[in-house]
Amino acid sequence: MFDVSAYQNPYLRTGASTMQAVVSLSLEDSGLVKTGSMPLALSIIIDRSGSMEGQKIEAAKDAAIRIIQSADPSTAFMVVTFNETANVIVPPTSATPESKARAIAAIRNVYSNGGTCMSTGLAAVAREMSSAQGRARKILFLTDGKNEGEKRNILDKAVQRVKEADIEVSAWGMGVDWDEDELKYIANETKGSADIIPSPDQIAGAFGFAFSEMQKITATNVRLNLWTPVGVTIKSVQQVYPSILPLTGTPNPDSPRITEFKLGSFGRDEKRDYVVDLTIPTYTPGQQFLMARPSLLYYVAGQGDIEEKTDKKGWIFAQWTDDPVESSKIERHVAHYTNQSELSNIVEEGHKALAQGDNERATQLLGRALQLSEQTGNENMTQMLKKIVTNEPNGTARLNKAASAVDLKSVAVNSGKTSRLK
């Protein structure tokens, strides 16, 4: 089902002992994929703290109801609201007409009050949905505020429980009073995503889009196995598209030459890219050597666990050379994602400088970020940055003093999202 390609310059200068490659994965839209969509276990978690009172909580309730109404009978769902405590208003149930009706009635009775303790809602779902085997496990999470009612380590423990249960979180911050670092942490740890919903009337659209993407999931518990020969060490593996996300490898107990990296779930036609950094032994110029060979493990509904080997186009090779022209070439995929990583770092630094009131440094950084996003074809980030900063023809950057809080928050929460090489 997967197409795997490796992009690199295999020619290394004599004596070089490190190398870098991009491994690209795409889930092919084949007949197998079309008939293999995973049944979904969906949890909806809604912040019902006092700040949600009024239009916000009503819009959130309406959005949840729309999702439930559109769910097919193969979907299992639950609904949790939280303030200082979690309330499981709809326990895990199949999306039958009867259970939908009961769920909608329960959601309509939700009201807002109290503080914001995010761990309570996440922990409730981890507890209730951890047994949903054979399903793609997802959370739609909505908050309008910061996690101010509990210590950070309590949230960390809840997020780790969600992660251990293989549940991916689509985290949404409504308005601008939430903490982008908190939502990005929840999303990144669970292989999910984080984004902004500027106003209550946009909740239904955001939820609807996220739900439609969840319904495309075809393979879950996807793992990238990297085999390396004796002498080769994997320094790091980092997802670089659609967002930057460091991965942690686990040695295979049955094969010391294999390291496993968990990738989460994949949907139809989904593409992701990963940068692999290796430390390698050195050889004399001439002969080409295999440095890493990827394979995939994943779960598909009705078929169970599948192991998929890769052909040579997905393998990473090295060959030493005394030709300085060959060894100095930077492969374009590697160069692109090097620039995307730099862009992400500059955007984060620029946003922090702006929050600290250092407008001079923020202008310099965000101006450079705009220039880099335009050069690398990151159209989404370019459009967001243009609302905050302008690069004049003479090279001078200028902050837009009229930029809204939504514009600033959008850049902050999307700073790690990248573009793919065209």
Side-chain angles (χ1 to χ4, degrees):
M1 293 201 314
F2 283 88
D3 181 77
V4 183
S5 298
Y7 301 98
Q8 58 170 134
N9 176 13
Y11 296 103
L12 306 177
R13 61 175 175 79
T14 302
S17 60
T18 61
M19 70 176 305
Q20 195 174 62
V22 172
V23 175
S24 181
L25 306 184
S26 61
L27 187 59
E28 300 291 274
D29 190 6
S30 63
L32 174 62
V33 172
K34 288 178 180 176
T35 58
S37 294
M38 295 286 295
L40 183 63
L42 173 65
S43 303
I44 301 174
I45 303 179
I46 297 174
D47 180 349
R48 70 175 187 93
S49 61
S51 60
M52 288 284 291
E53 186 175 6
Q55 186 182 5
K56 289 190 263 188
I57 192 66
E58 293 305 318
K61 288 158 57 176
D62 289 343
I65 288 171
R66 289 191 190 188
I67 295 298
I68 290 168
Q69 288 173 330
S70 64
D72 62 56
S74 69
T75 300
F77 72 94
M78 68 178 293
V79 182
V80 176
T81 60
F82 72 91
N83 46 23
E84 293 96 344
T85 59
N87 184 13
V88 180
I89 63 170
V90 182
T93 184
S94 297
T96 63
E98 295 77 16
S99 62
K100 285 183 181 183
R102 289 193 297 270
I104 290 169
I107 292 169
R108 284 179 173 149
N109 287 328
V110 170
Y111 60 93
S112 59
N113 67 357
T116 304
C117 296
M118 298 178 183
S119 71
T120 60
L122 293 167
V125 169
R127 182 176 61 250
E128 298 284 346
M129 277 294 192
S130 60
S131 61
Q133 302 298 323
R135 293 179 177 271
R137 286 170 253 181
K138 299 281 189 173
I139 291 174
L140 278 172
F141 180 94
L142 177 71
T143 185
D144 75 332
K146 300 174 183 178
N147 193 47
E148 297 176 329
E150 60 189 2
K151 293 182 179 179
R152 176 57 186 262
N153 69 312
I154 298 176
L155 175 62
D156 292 347
K157 289 178 182 178
V159 171
Q160 291 308 308
R161 289 181 64 184
V162 172
K163 179 180 178 179
E164 290 166 4
D166 290 324
I167 309 174
E168 299 174 12
V169 182
S170 177
W172 297 92
M174 192 182 63
V176 296
D177 294 328
W178 43 275
D179 185 335
E180 62 273 6
D181 290 335
E182 283 180 345
L183 289 199
K184 287 165 71 174
Y185 166 72
I186 293 169
N188 290 345
E189 284 294 306
T190 63
K191 303 293 189 298
S193 62
D195 213 334
I196 183 173
I197 302 177
S199 62
D201 61 352
Q202 295 172 303
I203 298 175
F207 272 28
F209 175 78
F211 184 58
S212 67
E213 292 299 301
M214 293 174 185
Q215 291 175 307
K216 298 177 184 178
I217 297 299
T218 302
T220 60
N221 194 22
V222 182
R223 289 144 286 164
L224 172 67
N225 278 353
L226 284 180
W227 175 89
T228 54
V230 174
V232 174
T233 301
I234 301 172
K235 289 174 61 181
S236 67
V237 174
Q238 181 173 242
Q239 178 183 293
V240 289
Y241 177 82
S243 60
I244 295 173
L245 178 63
L247 302 180
T248 301
T250 304
N252 187 316
D254 300 319
S255 179
R257 303 313 316 157
I258 294 177
T259 305
E260 180 180 281
F261 297 86
K262 291 187 175 182
L263 308 184
S265 60
F266 270 72
R268 291 192 302 272
D269 289 329
E270 185 168 357
K271 297 176 173 60
R272 295 187 203 168
D273 292 337
Y274 303 86
V275 167
V276 178
D277 279 289
L278 302 174
T279 300
I280 57 179
T282 60
Y283 295 95
T284 56
Q287 186 177 352
Q288 191 173 79
F289 294 87
L290 175 64
M291 292 297 157
R293 183 179 65 229
S295 61
L296 293 164
L297 292 170
Y298 52 89
Y299 180 89
V300 171
Q303 300 178 56
D305 288 313
I306 296 173
E307 182 178 8
E308 189 171 315
K309 305 293 186 181
T310 57
D311 55 29
K312 286 187 176 181
K313 75 173 184 175
W315 300 1
I316 299 172
F317 295 94
Q319 179 176 335
W320 285 261
T321 178
D322 290 326
D323 184 342
V325 175
E326 288 290 348
S327 62
S328 64
K329 293 178 181 177
I330 301 177
E331 200 281 328
R332 64 193 191 101
H333 290 79
V334 173
H336 176 76
Y337 287 119
T338 299
N339 287 332
Q340 290 293 290
S341 294
E342 181 186 2
L343 171 61
S344 175
N345 291 334
I346 293 174
V347 169
E348 288 188 0
E349 289 179 21
H351 184 266
K352 288 178 181 177
L354 202 59
Q356 294 166 358
D358 190 347
N359 287 354
E360 182 177 351
R361 177 169 166 75
T363 302
Q364 180 185 22
L365 289 167
L366 295 175
R368 170 59 182 150
L370 176 56
Q371 182 183 50
L372 193 56
S373 68
E374 291 176 323
Q375 290 173 350
T376 59
N378 193 329
E379 296 176 2
N380 289 336
M381 181 53 68
T382 296
Q383 294 306 312
M384 286 186 281
L385 284 169
K386 281 184 174 180
K387 296 178 181 179
I388 298 173
V389 66
T390 301
N391 283 330
E392 304 291 354
N394 64 1
T396 302
R398 178 174 54 82
L399 280 180
N400 176 13
K401 295 181 180 180
S404 69
V406 167
D407 296 334
L408 298 173
K409 192 67 92 171
S410 296
V411 167
V413 76
N414 284 283
S415 61
K417 295 179 182 177
T418 59
S419 64
R420 204 162 194 259
L421 186 66
K422 296 180 179 179

